[in-house]
Amino acid sequence: MKNSTAYSLVCPHGTLHLNSPVVMGILNVTPDSFYDGGRYSNEESILIRVEQMIEEGAIIIDIGASSTRPGAKAIPVKEELSRLLPAIRSIRSHFPELFLSADTFRSEVAMEAVKAGADIINDIAGGDLDAAMFSTVAALRVPYVLMHMQGTPETMQLAPEYTDVTSEIASRFREKISLLEEAGVRQLILDPGFGFGKTVDHNYELLKNLSDFLSFGYPLMAGLSRKAMINKVLGTRPDTSLNGTTAANTIALMKGVSVLRVHDVREAAEAIKIVSKCI
């Protein structure tokens, strides 16, 4: 499957080619993430899971050390670093050519994560929770996932409100991209932030209009995996929402997404193969 633009991102450990969609596997080294919290709390379990995701087709592993589920409170920087850095170092040591993403909204953590071996910074807050994030990413010269979130993880689902969710997020992207480019950041991935300060209707409006964001000229990422927007429609739970996730991922692919961020790598990779036969 070819996207309209052949994107390539230069990372510390190689060049990530996004001319065809890829899978980003989620690895939460947290005790309280909404789906897999507590499963990967030691080096052995982390490495086993990473190897499994690679075998199933993951090109990027996104490592999160601070839960950002709805209602989650921020943990101290020291605690986030104590979870994240050992995981990055261990994975980098065992899988030297793997692309690693650090899921953090803190510039200090971003800096240390790249030093430890991360290739990409995935910031759920789009710089809103740390004023130094953009300049830090510019100095690090690594790709940056610019995600949209209304509020904070602790408050984002209390009463999300938009007049036009797609146009408002596009406007926010336009503003942030300008600031990032002025800072010298040229390698971006855009993520509208499904479930981060959006109602169910907001999320599906975004999914329907996802291709609108291609006009910015950067690759798109979608993180739909097992989220409430699926469970509330189907009456499922996070542990029973794989089929709904695959349906949503398929729509995202047909709208031009370059990166699927998922818990279930094999199923996402299979969706990419099937959709590639139709586009």
Side-chain angles (χ1 to χ4, degrees):
M1 178 187 349
K2 291 277 187 180
N3 289 327
S4 58
T5 303
Y7 307 105
S8 292
L9 301 175
V10 179
C11 302
H13 299 90
T15 300
L16 175 62
H17 298 289
L18 298 178
N19 53 306
S20 296
V22 302
V23 178
M24 173 187 279
I26 297 169
L27 180 70
N28 288 315
V29 291
T30 55
D32 55 349
S33 292
F34 81 95
Y35 173 61
D36 57 357
R39 294 187 190 182
Y40 312 111
S41 57
N42 60 64
E43 184 177 30
E44 181 181 10
S45 62
I46 287 169
L47 294 176
I48 289 171
R49 179 58 179 150
V50 170
E51 185 172 24
Q52 179 186 15
M53 288 194 283
I54 293 170
E55 290 175 352
E56 292 180 350
I59 301 299
I60 312 164
I61 301 297
D62 188 47
I63 310 163
S66 178
S67 176
T68 54
R69 75 189 191 286
K73 296 183 178 181
I75 62 172
V77 172
K78 185 177 180 179
E79 185 175 353
E80 184 178 359
L81 287 169
S82 71
R83 296 174 183 171
L84 182 64
L85 299 187
I88 292 175
R89 292 186 185 113
S90 177
I91 296 167
R92 175 58 63 210
S93 174
H94 286 81
F95 306 100
E97 297 181 359
L98 183 63
F99 293 103
L100 298 182
S101 168
D103 182 354
T104 185
F105 56 80
R106 290 165 162 153
S107 60
E108 179 183 347
V109 176
M111 178 70 73
E112 295 304 318
V114 172
K115 289 180 182 177
D119 295 287
I120 299 165
I121 299 302
N122 180 15
D123 178 7
I124 63 161
D128 285 342
L129 298 182
D130 190 329
M133 180 59 91
F134 288 2
S135 60
T136 298
V137 172
L140 292 170
R141 302 179 68 83
V142 295
Y144 176 68
V145 180
L146 173 65
M147 200 190 88
H148 175 272
M149 175 174 63
Q150 187 180 92
T152 67
E154 188 173 2
T155 66
M156 63 188 180
Q157 290 306 111
L158 296 180
E161 187 175 336
Y162 304 85
T163 301
D164 182 328
V165 66
T166 304
S167 65
E168 287 178 45
I169 291 176
S171 178
R172 196 69 172 147
F173 276 158
R174 195 171 296 112
E175 173 188 333
K176 296 289 186 70
I177 289 168
S178 178
L179 292 172
L180 283 158
E181 290 180 343
E182 286 177 13
V185 179
R186 294 290 184 272
Q187 301 194 98
L188 297 174
I189 299 173
L190 305 182
D191 181 348
F194 292 101
F196 283 79
K198 286 95 178 171
T199 64
V200 170
D201 287 343
H202 292 148
N203 285 314
Y204 283 99
E205 186 71 12
L206 282 173
L207 185 57
K208 181 175 73 174
N209 297 327
L210 203 49
S211 58
D212 290 4
F213 299 113
L214 292 170
S215 63
F216 289 107
Y218 290 109
L220 303 181
M221 184 168 86
L224 300 151
S225 187
R226 298 183 179 268
K227 287 187 173 178
M229 63 177 282
I230 294 164
N231 297 318
K232 288 181 179 179
V233 170
L234 300 180
T236 51
R237 306 180 306 273
D239 63 327
T240 60
S241 59
L242 177 54
N243 190 55
T245 295
T246 300
N249 282 337
T250 301
I251 295 169
L253 289 167
M254 296 186 78
K255 296 289 184 177
V257 160
S258 293
V259 183
L260 290 177
R261 182 181 182 274
V262 300
H263 298 92
D264 308 281
V265 172
R266 175 177 285 112
E267 291 78 4
E270 289 177 351
I272 289 172
K273 289 179 182 178
I274 294 295
V275 173
S276 72
K277 295 295 184 180
C278 301
I279 294 180

